[in-house]
Amino acid sequence: MTTPRSVLSVEGLHSFYGRIEALKGISLHVDEGEIVTLIGANGAGKSTTINTISGLVTPKMGSVKLFGETISGLRVHIVASKGVVQVPEGRRIFARMTVTENLEMGAYLRKDRAELAGDIKRVFELFPRLAERRAQKGGTLSGGEQQMLAIGRALMAKPKLLMLDEPSMGLAPVIVDVIFETIEKLNSEGMTILLIEQNAAKALTVADRGYVLEVGKVVLEGSGKDLLANEQVRKAYLGEE
């Protein structure tokens, strides 16, 4: 049996906002072809974790490695150029640009310009609604359409690790289903994904493995199936008594 290749390795990560220690020694890993999810309450350190991985936050201690290469401390655009691509919380699409222009911006760091048209076509196949609105300004799209656009824009960067920060936030249940079906489809095609999600039940259902964060520390880890069945998780994050 072939040992899976490690895509992401995080060891002993400590990150601060001013004097506030947001991450207190977090360690985790993501292997090639996995969906790994981070769950926890607001303020647990989930977004800080992926912001540190992507270079938006510089850690005080610890390391982040991509395929064994240390990337912690590198500038954001360098990390992105190495294949770590983040879909931010709140989507943050370019409101005054069209759908197509937003997708083209996702490929800003790429040099294989001849392949862009085919990749845009692929995004439109994943999200037919975006194809229908290709000439529409991003700011006029619905919340669900903007989330599709944010994911599509990230895919245009050809990620080796796709990080999704709260992709279901504020969306109608039917759109949440579409987003999670897309996540599973991308993963089935080989995409490695790190997922932050308040909807713990949805996240753990699709995840191979998960980590539970509390106040900047990993307090539980295991397979998605095992965490979904864990009594502590069910009471704290699935609303069960």
Side-chain angles (χ1 to χ4, degrees):
M1 186 175 177
T2 306
T3 302
R5 184 165 64 146
S6 174
V7 174
L8 178 74
S9 177
V10 174
E11 294 290 339
L13 213 57
H14 291 257
S15 293
F16 288 73
Y17 290 117
R19 295 184 178 181
I20 299 171
E21 188 175 18
L23 301 183
K24 303 172 182 177
I26 281 178
S27 297
L28 59 90
H29 71 277
V30 183
D31 291 336
E32 198 165 38
E34 281 193 308
I35 298 177
V36 173
T37 189
L38 308 182
I39 65 171
N42 287 335
K46 305 185 300 298
S47 291
T48 304
T49 299
I50 67 168
N51 286 341
T52 304
I53 292 167
S54 67
L56 288 165
V57 175
T58 302
K60 289 288 180 69
M61 292 176 60
S63 68
V64 179
K65 293 182 179 180
L66 182 72
F67 297 109
E69 176 190 358
T70 299
I71 61 170
S72 40
L74 297 180
R75 297 178 69 179
V76 176
H77 70 281
I78 300 296
V79 175
S81 73
K82 292 179 180 295
V84 179
V85 180
Q86 182 174 344
V87 179
E89 180 181 346
R91 303 180 265 280
R92 299 186 191 177
I93 51 97
F94 298 104
R96 295 185 181 182
M97 290 184 176
T98 67
V99 165
T100 299
E101 289 168 342
N102 267 272
L103 296 178
E104 290 170 345
M105 285 299 293
Y108 181 75
L109 294 173
R110 286 174 52 181
K111 294 181 172 58
D112 54 341
R113 312 308 291 179
E115 296 183 20
L116 297 193
D119 291 336
I120 289 174
K121 181 181 177 183
R122 170 64 178 140
V123 171
F124 287 159
E125 289 170 351
L126 274 174
F127 299 116
R129 287 196 191 193
L130 296 183
E132 296 167 6
R133 292 158 174 74
R134 67 184 72 200
Q136 194 169 321
K137 295 287 179 65
T140 66
L141 301 177
S142 69
E145 291 161 354
Q146 289 188 11
Q147 186 63 66
M148 295 173 193
L149 181 55
I151 294 173
R153 182 180 60 187
L155 294 177
M156 289 296 297
K158 287 197 167 179
K160 295 173 183 172
L161 174 67
L162 179 64
M163 301 195 299
L164 299 159
D165 193 352
E166 304 287 7
S168 77
M169 181 178 286
L171 303 183
V174 66
I175 302 299
V176 172
D177 289 342
V178 170
I179 296 299
F180 272 87
E181 285 166 10
T182 304
I183 290 170
E184 289 186 284
K185 180 175 177 58
L186 291 169
N187 179 248
S188 73
E189 295 172 352
M191 182 75 69
T192 303
I193 296 171
L194 180 59
L195 170 66
I196 289 179
E197 181 53 59
Q198 287 279 44
N199 189 332
K202 277 278 191 188
L204 292 172
T205 298
V206 303
D208 297 291
R209 294 185 301 107
Y211 296 86
V212 180
L213 273 58
E214 289 182 5
V215 290
K217 295 180 179 179
V218 173
V219 295
L220 277 174
E221 61 180 279
S223 70
K225 184 177 180 181
D226 287 347
L227 290 176
L228 202 53
N230 182 283
E231 184 178 355
Q232 181 181 343
V233 171
R234 297 186 74 83
K235 285 182 178 179
Y237 305 108
L238 304 184
E240 296 189 4
E241 296 298 328

